[in-house]
Amino acid sequence: MKVLIEYKKDQNCMNIKPMDFQLDKLRGITSYLKVIKGQIISPNLVSISLDEIDVNTLYTKIRRIFEEEFSCEIESNIGAKKVFDDAEDEANRFKIFSKKAKEIRNNEMNEDDFSDFCSVLSDTDFKRNLKVYQLLAAYHIAFSQNACNFSVPGSGKTSTVLAAYEYLKKQEGKNQIEKLVVFGPLSSFIAWKMEYEACFGVEPNSIEIRGGVKKQLLKENLMASKSECELLIISYGSVQGNYDIILHFLKHNNCMVVLDEAHRIKRVSDDAQSNYVLSLSPYAKSRVVLTGTPAANSYVDLYNLYKFIWPFNNVIGYSVPQLAAMSSNADDRRVEDLIDRISSFFIRVKKSDLNLPDPIFRKPEIVDMSPIQRSIYQSIEDMIVHRWEQSRLPESIRRAASIRLRQAASNPGLLLKSLEEENIDYEGDDNMSSQNENDIEIDKEIVSRIVQYKSLEVPNKFVVALNIAKELISKGEKLIIWCEFIGTCDDLSLYFENNGIDNRILYGKCPQDEREVIIREFLNKEKACFNVIIANPHAVGESISLHTTCHNAIYLEQGFNAGVYMQSKDRIHRVGLTDDITTTYYFIQSGDTVDSVVYNRIMEKEQRMLNLIESEEIPLLANNIDYEEDSADDIKAIIKDYYERRKRYI
């Protein structure tokens, strides 16, 4: 259907006469009309095809550009008028709907409606006692059916979603939900299944779509006329290869679709993973986004999240280039409008809102290195610092050298491996690509010591960690030990086994089925045969919850990424802790090494991140310039510490 729309300039606007106004003279009008599939017929007449563009979007664009900005009058034929009237009615309904969603979000909702929600929920099989803020968030999801939860890790977002899901299952008609579909990282799979069990008292009838699961089996279970699966959990990396199965399931079931750790689909250009997930959004009955880092680097990170929850309504109101420009200018007035536009459909609980008992942070235990490790470390440190000073190195080489320095301070046996073997991956994401320049140029005698290191001694850090573990285990307690390098996970695990401490390893190469067995056994208060988990924070630092049985964490190694560190801490410091439980963090450092620099930098970055997170509605963590790994400031801090230590010994 074609529609002719005539624009007449308001005579009272800017004192310009109607005959002076020509549509084709408006700056940028040609590009704009191309976007809305329009073309100029005469100086004040345009033709637009309503068959080629979403009418609601078209209506919004025309109102904003021509009526509001240029004060134009719209005249259209009868067919187009009905289409535009319907679009206007829908826009007005959405405004009212958004206003009510914002009232709920601001805890200003109708008390009777909220009481009805709580009453319905209490009459279901839902067994979890939710905190007040969790109930509010659940009600917000249940009402809007399309919402984001940007609450901090450890605030109980999974329970909140399950409560809203249970409520919507009990509804009748168009709002009723039948199935729950969750997209997430592998580490989130067990969290959803165990939380379902805790909330409903039974295991879910669930199916997983991930690597290793046969596609034919998925087809038989998910493309049947009536699938028995209630909880479908899908890894982000498996969407593309199983797209047809997922699409069929969404089309034939009323599904609530949840994006867990949704920052994984934030990339807006040429990203297959994001595009495939977004293309499934229109087939969901209800949509929920969960992430504790909604805009880590730029407001652009919000674009896909809102495109997912409202695929047919331009809630965010700004283009990607505009969002990028707003992110680079802290004083941009549009930021306030952006937050106002999106606020109806997100809830955010801060760490301070959780009222958790304060954890104990033990003063770092400084460990003397043996003469062999000291000689290895000193040689590598001298070489690396001098290399940094003498030339402008590519970021990749600079980062590789920083990693080598941290390995020498912790476990020199790692220096035999290429960084490709020690890749600090994030469950499939390329956190650090392997480099050809990873070899370190050092004296042959030092190389010989590195080659023989494992047969000569055990790092003193391992000895201290073992003593702490033995003391805690003697008191009936459990602990998790965080290691930055997967080689250290392996070496420490073997050392503990040889000294009578049974343990399990959790890192990226741990098979999913085995990972779940380990976590379930560790959380079993009565039958666990081991009390120690050794883990890599880049692989399992998010999603899993260990706080019900584990209240101690040892940081044997640390990297410069404050976000990863904060995520790892939250594994044992979460909603559900009672006031009589004490959470304790231990830090082990090799004396007079880069370890103290890493620790101090992490604490500085964390404090700046907390200040942003607690003070901003949508915290832009990029304002904390070097919050990630091995920044230029991190390298400067290493060099400064190196020379300060040298002065002490001269």
Side-chain angles (χ1 to χ4, degrees), residues 368-614:
D368 291 331
M369 291 191 291
S370 71
I372 296 175
Q373 184 177 5
R374 172 60 64 188
S375 65
I376 294 172
Y377 177 83
Q378 194 63 63
S379 178
I380 291 175
E381 185 179 49
D382 290 343
M383 181 275 295
I384 286 176
V385 170
H386 293 158
R387 193 178 182 194
W388 281 337
E389 290 182 317
Q390 291 171 2
S391 60
R392 295 176 61 86
L393 298 173
E395 181 182 354
S396 59
I397 300 178
R398 185 189 69 195
R399 292 186 66 193
S402 171
I403 291 170
R404 288 305 195 191
L405 194 58
R406 300 202 300 272
Q407 288 177 333
S410 176
N411 181 15
L414 301 177
L415 298 170
L416 289 175
K417 298 181 179 180
S418 69
L419 288 188
E420 186 175 5
E421 292 178 87
E422 264 301 341
N423 192 9
I424 313 171
D425 71 344
Y426 199 63
E427 289 196 343
D429 291 347
D430 292 329
N431 189 52
M432 184 196 74
S433 59
S434 59
Q435 305 296 329
N436 293 325
E437 304 89 346
N438 287 338
D439 292 336
I440 49 181
E441 300 171 1
I442 52 179
D443 185 85
K444 289 183 178 180
E445 183 180 345
I446 298 299
V447 173
S448 176
R449 292 179 186 178
I450 293 172
V451 171
Q452 300 178 62
Y453 184 79
K454 287 189 178 182
S455 65
L456 295 174
E457 67 179 25
V458 171
N460 286 340
K461 274 189 173 186
F462 287 20
V463 178
V464 173
L466 179 69
N467 291 336
I468 295 174
K470 284 182 175 180
E471 182 180 353
L472 292 172
I473 292 171
S474 69
K475 299 176 182 177
E477 298 190 44
K478 299 183 180 183
L479 72 151
I480 183 167
I481 303 177
W482 294 106
C483 301
E484 185 78 358
F485 305 111
I486 58 176
T488 298
C489 291
D490 291 328
D491 293 345
L492 184 67
S493 175
L494 180 60
Y495 175 70
F496 270 40
E497 289 287 348
N498 291 338
N499 284 273
I501 303 294
D502 199 4
N503 65 89
R504 300 292 184 274
I505 303 176
L506 289 177
Y507 48 22
K509 64 181 182 180
C510 181
Q512 181 66 14
D513 293 338
E514 181 181 331
R515 182 182 303 193
E516 293 198 9
V517 170
I518 290 171
I519 293 174
R520 286 185 181 276
E521 188 172 354
F522 188 69
L523 293 176
N524 190 317
K525 296 181 180 180
E526 299 175 357
K527 297 182 180 180
C529 63
F530 63 95
N531 294 301
V532 178
I533 281 180
I534 299 171
N536 178 277
H538 295 272
V540 295
E542 62 183 10
S543 298
I544 65 170
S545 299
L546 304 175
H547 64 295
T548 55
T549 62
C550 180
H551 312 300
N552 304 282
I554 296 176
Y555 287 85
L556 191 80
E557 297 167 334
Q558 289 183 281
F560 282 109
N561 192 313
V564 170
Y565 165 69
M566 293 169 70
Q567 284 270 15
S568 69
K569 284 199 309 175
D570 290 329
R571 298 313 97 211
I572 63 172
H573 195 239
R574 309 172 66 80
V575 167
L577 290 174
T578 55
D579 292 337
D580 62 326
I581 292 176
T582 301
T583 303
T584 306
Y585 300 102
Y586 301 81
F587 301 87
I588 303 176
Q589 300 174 8
S590 292
D592 290 329
T593 68
V594 68
D595 281 356
S596 62
V597 180
V598 177
Y599 174 83
N600 291 332
R601 291 287 296 156
I602 281 289
M603 296 304 140
E604 292 170 11
K605 293 179 185 183
E606 180 189 29
Q607 190 55 57
R608 290 199 295 269
M609 287 179 73
L610 287 173
N611 291 340
L612 283 168
I613 290 169
E614 291 294 317

Side-chain angles (χ1 to χ4, degrees), residues 165 169 176-180 205 207 217-231 245 248-255:
Y165 166 70
K169 277 179 63 179
Q176 188 179 44
I177 298 296
E178 301 170 315
K179 312 281 188 180
L180 182 62
N205 190 332
I207 291 177
L217 183 64
L218 295 175
K219 286 183 176 180
E220 292 172 1
N221 283 278
L222 299 176
M223 300 183 78
S225 57
K226 184 64 177 177
S227 175
E228 298 298 321
C229 170
E230 181 188 3
L231 173 61
I245 298 174
H248 182 277
F249 189 81
L250 293 179
K251 283 183 174 181
H252 292 84
N253 297 278
N254 291 335
C255 297

